[in-house]
Amino acid sequence: MPVRATTIATQSSCVARLRVVIRGAVQGVGFRPFIYRLATAAGLPGWVINSAQGVFIEVEGEHDALREFLQRIESDKPAIAHIYSLEPTYLDPVGFSQFEIRASEGGEKTALILPDIATCPDCLRELNDPADRRFRYPFTNCTNCGPRFTIIEALPYDRPLTSMKKFGMCEACSREYHDPADRRFHAQPNACPVCGPHVELWDTDGAVIATHETALVRCAEAIKEGRIVAVKGLGGFHLMVDARNETAVLNLRARKHREEKPFALMFPTSELIAEHCEISPVENRLLRSPESPIVLLRARTPWMLPAAIAPGNPYLGVMLPYTPFHHLLMQELGFPVVATSGNLSEEPICTDESEALTRLAGIADLFLVHDRPIVRHVDDSIAREMAGRELVLRRARGFAPLPVFVPEPLPPIAAVGAHQKNTVAVSVGEQIFVSQHIGDLETEASFSAFERVIEAFNQMYELHPEASACDMHPDYASTKYAMEGAEPVLQVQHHHAHVLSCMAENHLQAPVLGIAFDGSGFGADSTIWGGEFLRVTDEGVDRVAHLRTFRLPGGEKAVREPRRVALALLYEIFGEKAFEVDVPSTQAFLAAELRVIRTMLKQGFNSPVTSSVGRLFDAIASLIGLRQRCKFEGHAAMELEFAITGDTHESFPYAIHDAGEFPLICDWGPMVEAILRETSPSIGYIARKFHNTIGRIVADIAERVGEAKVVLTGGCFQNRYLTENCIQRLQAAGFQVYWHQRVPPNDGGISLGQVMAAAAELKRRHRR
């Protein structure tokens, strides 16, 4: 039934009907109630409707009143709404007599789905008000906050199409839902203790230990005792332990098989975070934002938590509670907890309590669960400050699946992303929807999650792709999946996709010089690229420069053992004498191992050729004794960044080999030899000079290529010192420099670039 206002008499002075089509993040944010109040206050009869394409409005009145109404839509809209297009059309009046909210329509699926949003101040106030009927209710929400993407099953965003459909609203909630003056008017997840989801605490067999308030209290007591609790949240489970308890933290590491990779922390308040970490204004905004991501903050010294939280890392990944459920639990605790993904390493996060009992068996001691189904897994997002701006490193809760907008409509394309940090993307008109972080496609569970996300996107947007886009690497699970599909497949070179991703996010048109530095990507010449300078034009992409190549003895094993890469660099420079160089890298091998590596390098057996900057970072970390074996991806490179000390602007020598044509070759040989001769005892000094050298190479190549616009992309540009150094040098040389913001520079952004590459190729084919 439509919601009707008091009848508004049709005015004799009504001269026009205004039709408005609004696209953007306008569903699930109280937009229709806002329009209702705006129109009725102005005395404008008509209607508003949620459609799968956005919000549609028609009102009738005098021209001046209609113009003011239009202006106020943009100026007074709900704070969390985002209008990407507003299309007004003036038509002849038809004689509306009142304003109403009409039932939602279907149709072509192009409307935006809002991400899950952190608890708003109004709901938080009610949560802690003993006089309020939602006092300490863990699922309080309104049109300004609460679950969205994790509960929606289909468009448009209405309660019957969400996992809240199983909870019938009580009389009080129904009154709120249908009252245009209430902030819960048409709040789809609206619920209360009488009619909504509830909490239970389970043992490892799934037996109920406690319910409701008692469950939260008993869970807090267990954490205080040092036990590991699996806590079901918005998009999946967290594994939580007392972050102050070193024994509990080490126990979690052992059970989860996570040796040294840092754990994320949840703090009860921002004031407590400030006691442990340095916080800039940009970082403070990120922490308190509706997206509420994990934010990487530099820990204060002396370190106040167990070193096992983040071994060898000066940063802590911290977040604030972002649901009423988490607020209540953290209020009970009053101290920081580890809040890491509820999974085994390399697997997707658990979303279902029955599944969690099986998959987290042997890890969790207890399970704090609730009965609101999670439709899709969504991890916590990760962000950091970069060059005075926010940079998303993992795009999930709070950010996905908001689209990237492009200047002109694209053909429908489905992109399946990379093998690591996988995301998928689809183009719908002028929008490219990038999925939440899926993860590395290493396991059957991860690949199943990948397939589910693709299926959900196709269903949600009723997509019929004209083509699929994938990586060129023949062994990627995502590539194999695309190749088995029915539609034509366009393969996109990995680093080209990186560059196009950054261009799309920054709304850049070619020509552009793209600098793509990462660990590895299958190259157009079938070698492993990773230190690439690519000129992108309307006609395609040219490799104008790259790092001097070297071998990776053992292939993937070299990625896990920087000592192997270091030996490969030495072999490129010194040949057989490389094994006589007395450095930590050679000292880390047994004599028998060195003989095997020597044979591999000499014969080129199982030793692919690479130009990877990421592997160069690994090699330098090994040569100076920082890290010989990695416990997780990027381990050695991170330690090299964290080792930086001092304030020197010096750099090591290098060479650019220019044969009069592209590609130029950036020769790291002189730098490695200089490092071997370095007499400074300070690893931090060498680390800083190395980073400065990469920055000089970037600026040098950019000047030789001569493109005004330069983009920085790839996983290496998660390194703050490297990125900011490159930006400063390029800007000082007069270049316009662009880097990522809301789309990750790592492989999480590859799917976006794949869509852009495939669209450009289809456009070129249509012109031929």
Side-chain angles (χ1 to χ4, degrees):
M1 292 288 292
V3 178
R4 298 181 182 275
T6 303
T7 299
I8 303 172
T10 305
Q11 305 170 35
S12 59
S13 57
C14 178
V15 294
R17 171 167 50 113
L18 173 65
R19 180 176 175 83
V20 186
V21 179
I22 299 175
R23 294 181 174 87
V26 288
Q27 294 190 6
V29 297
F31 204 86
R32 287 177 296 170
F34 158 68
I35 294 296
Y36 177 96
R37 291 189 290 269
L38 195 62
T40 53
L44 300 175
W47 51 265
V48 61
I49 194 168
N50 246 359
S51 157
Q53 297 86 43
V55 171
F56 287 70
I57 305 162
E58 285 195 10
V59 288
E60 291 181 349
E62 296 180 356
H63 277 285
D64 286 346
L66 295 178
R67 279 194 291 268
E68 182 180 353
F69 173 79
L70 200 57
Q71 291 169 357
R72 290 189 63 189
I73 289 177
E74 296 195 82
S75 63
D76 298 357
K77 65 178 176 59
I80 58 175
H82 296 278
I83 295 175
Y84 292 112
S85 70
L86 187 153
E87 303 167 18
T89 306
Y90 288 90
L91 307 166
D92 292 335
V94 294
F96 297 129
S97 60
Q98 68 275 317
F99 193 90
E100 63 183 19
I101 295 177
R102 292 184 174 174
S104 299
E105 292 181 344
E108 182 188 1
K109 306 300 178 63
T110 59
L112 300 192
I113 301 169
L114 204 68
D116 302 280
I117 305 163
T119 309
C120 72
D122 288 332
C123 283
L124 191 56
R125 186 169 52 252
E126 291 174 347
L127 187 72
N128 293 299
D129 180 2
D132 194 276
R133 72 188 190 92
R134 290 187 174 86
F135 176 56
R136 295 186 65 79
Y137 179 57
F139 303 96
T140 298
N141 65 83
C142 68
T143 52
N144 299 319
C145 66
R148 301 291 193 272
F149 186 48
T150 54
I151 64 170
I152 190 170
E153 296 172 344
L155 286 172
Y157 177 62
D158 279 325
R159 192 178 183 106
L161 298 178
T162 74
S163 62
M164 285 297 294
K165 64 180 181 288
K166 64 178 281 191
F167 301 99
M169 282 184 285
C170 66
E171 185 177 344
C173 285
S174 184
R175 277 198 306 270
E176 294 168 335
Y177 184 85
H178 291 99
D179 181 1
D182 197 288
R183 81 174 197 280
R184 291 188 169 91
F185 183 43
H186 281 224
Q188 306 308 333
N190 191 33
C192 75
V194 174
C195 62
H198 287 94
V199 179
E200 293 181 340
L201 185 66
W202 292 1
D203 66 15
T204 54
D205 294 323
V208 178
I209 298 173
T211 61
H212 306 296
E213 181 79 11
T214 307
L216 282 165
V217 173
R218 293 279 298 275
C219 173
E221 290 172 352
I223 291 173
K224 290 174 184 177
E225 293 166 0
R227 302 172 80 182
I228 299 171
V229 182
V231 178
K232 184 181 178 184
L234 264 181
F237 277 81
H238 282 127
L239 290 166
M240 290 189 173
V241 297
D242 182 350
R244 307 165 306 169
N245 185 331
E246 185 170 25
T247 301
V249 174
L250 290 172
N251 189 22
L252 177 58
R253 284 203 177 278
R255 293 188 190 181
K256 191 173 160 69
H257 305 300
R258 183 165 171 159
E259 293 180 78
E260 295 186 44
K261 191 174 182 180
F263 280 140
L265 302 176
M266 183 177 285
F267 280 74
T269 65
S270 55
E271 290 78 15
L272 191 56
I273 293 176
E275 291 180 18
H276 287 78
C277 305
E278 301 169 7
I279 309 176
S280 74
V282 170
E283 292 163 342
N284 187 52
R285 197 216 72 82
L286 265 173
L287 279 170
R288 297 168 176 268
S289 69
E291 296 84 4
S292 194
I294 297 168
V295 183
L296 301 186
L297 302 176
R298 183 170 285 275
R300 294 189 182 279
T301 52
W303 188 277
M304 291 184 276
L305 292 170
I309 295 289
N313 194 323
Y315 289 88
L316 288 174
V318 305
M319 60 182 154
L320 287 167
Y322 53 83
T323 72
F325 193 44
H326 291 113
H327 277 287
L328 291 172
L329 180 57
M330 296 309 292
Q331 286 171 11
E332 288 289 328
L333 292 169
F335 55 77
V337 296
V338 169
T340 188
S341 298
N343 58 5
L344 281 170
S345 293
E346 312 305 330
E347 287 191 355
I349 190 171
C350 290
T351 57
D352 177 78
E353 48 270 29
S354 298
E355 171 199 27
L357 286 175
T358 301
R359 288 181 53 199
L360 302 181
I363 303 178
D365 298 312
L366 293 170
F367 296 80
L368 186 64
V369 303
H370 59 76
D371 57 347
R372 184 179 67 205
I374 297 172
V375 174
R376 58 184 52 81
H377 83 282
V378 178
D379 291 90
D380 296 314
S381 292
I382 303 175
R384 76 178 307 177
E385 182 177 358
M386 185 73 76
R389 298 195 319 210
E390 299 168 5
L391 172 67
V392 174
L393 301 176
R394 184 168 77 190
R395 189 175 183 273
R397 178 184 51 76
F399 297 98
L402 287 177
V404 173
F405 279 79
V406 292
E408 58 185 31
L410 302 180
I413 296 167
V416 297
H419 188 74
Q420 293 183 311
K421 297 180 174 62
N422 179 268
T423 62
V424 301
V426 298
S427 53
V428 182
E430 297 173 354
Q431 302 170 111
I432 303 174
F433 294 91
V434 182
S435 78
Q436 74 273 33
H437 168 84
I438 298 170
D440 299 351
L441 305 183
E442 297 285 351
T443 65
E444 184 178 338
S446 299
F447 189 75
S448 294
F450 162 80
E451 291 181 306
R452 287 195 300 272
V453 171
I454 292 175
E455 181 181 1
F457 263 46
N458 287 339
Q459 289 179 351
M460 202 170 296
Y461 296 106
E462 296 178 354
L463 194 69
H464 302 287
E466 185 175 323
S468 290
C470 67
D471 198 271
M472 291 176 62
H473 199 302
D475 295 329
Y476 277 6
S478 54
T479 300
K480 292 177 179 178
Y481 176 90
M483 290 298 184
E484 293 171 358
E487 59 274 350
V489 179
L490 298 172
Q491 291 186 280
V492 182
Q493 199 281 318
H494 189 89
H495 301 92
H496 185 199
H498 267 309
V499 175
L500 291 178
S501 172
C502 192
M503 289 175 63
E505 182 182 9
N506 286 284
H507 296 183
L508 295 180
Q509 299 296 315
V512 162
L513 172 63
I515 301 173
F517 289 172
D518 65 2
S520 64
F522 196 77
D525 59 359
S526 297
T527 65
I528 298 173
W529 290 7
E532 310 309 310
F533 296 79
L534 305 177
R535 192 203 319 257
V536 177
T537 67
D538 288 335
E539 298 307 312
V541 59
D542 294 309
R543 191 187 194 196
V544 293
H546 62 81
L547 208 66
R548 175 184 173 183
T549 60
F550 50 94
R551 291 191 176 274
L552 297 176
E556 281 299 313
K557 199 165 185 178
V559 176
R560 297 189 295 272
E561 297 184 20
R563 59 185 187 157
R564 289 172 175 259
V565 189
L567 279 178
L569 294 192
L570 297 177
Y571 188 83
E572 287 291 325
I573 298 171
F574 303 116
E576 291 288 325
K577 293 184 179 179
F579 299 92
E580 301 170 12
V581 179
D582 188 20
V583 290
S585 305
T586 51
Q587 296 165 6
F589 283 98
L590 299 173
E593 292 176 313
L594 284 176
R595 286 194 294 272
V596 172
I597 301 295
R598 184 197 302 264
T599 301
M600 295 174 82
L601 289 170
K602 188 174 181 179
Q603 298 179 358
F605 172 70
N606 192 23
S607 299
V609 173
T610 188
S611 59
S612 168
V613 169
R615 299 290 81 82
L616 180 64
F617 267 80
D618 290 351
I620 301 305
S622 170
L623 285 172
I624 63 178
L626 268 177
R627 172 67 52 180
Q628 306 302 336
R629 291 182 175 87
C630 293
K631 302 298 184 181
F632 56 88
E633 185 198 3
H635 195 177
M638 287 170 60
E639 290 198 340
L640 190 59
E641 176 191 0
F642 301 152
I644 293 173
T645 56
D647 57 3
T648 183
H649 297 290
E650 297 176 14
S651 57
F652 293 112
Y654 62 89
I656 303 293
H657 299 310
D658 183 352
E661 60 181 16
F662 293 130
L664 308 174
I665 308 299
C666 316
D667 188 354
W668 40 260
M671 176 183 66
V672 172
E673 292 188 67
I675 290 173
L676 295 177
R677 295 193 302 268
E678 183 62 60
T679 57
S680 169
S682 170
I683 287 177
Y685 172 78
I686 296 172
R688 189 179 182 100
K689 282 183 69 173
F690 167 74
H691 281 78
N692 291 345
T693 307
I694 302 299
R696 273 189 60 202
I697 290 172
V698 163
D700 193 345
I701 295 295
E703 292 196 34
R704 292 171 189 248
V705 174
E707 290 294 348
K709 293 179 288 189
V710 180
V711 305
L712 305 176
T713 186
C716 291
F717 287 109
Q718 297 173 110
N719 179 319
R720 183 169 179 174
Y721 184 90
L722 174 68
T723 305
E724 293 180 348
N725 187 277
C726 289
I727 291 169
Q728 290 163 8
R729 290 177 185 272
L730 288 165
Q731 288 178 339
F735 293 99
Q736 297 169 260
V737 190
Y738 304 87
W739 59 100
H740 289 268
Q741 298 174 73
R742 285 294 192 266
V743 176
N746 56 48
D747 284 5
I750 285 289
S751 61
L752 170 61
Q754 289 174 344
V755 169
M756 296 301 294
E761 176 59 25
L762 290 176
K763 186 176 180 180
R764 283 191 289 269
R765 290 182 183 182
H766 291 158
R767 286 202 307 260
R768 291 172 192 154

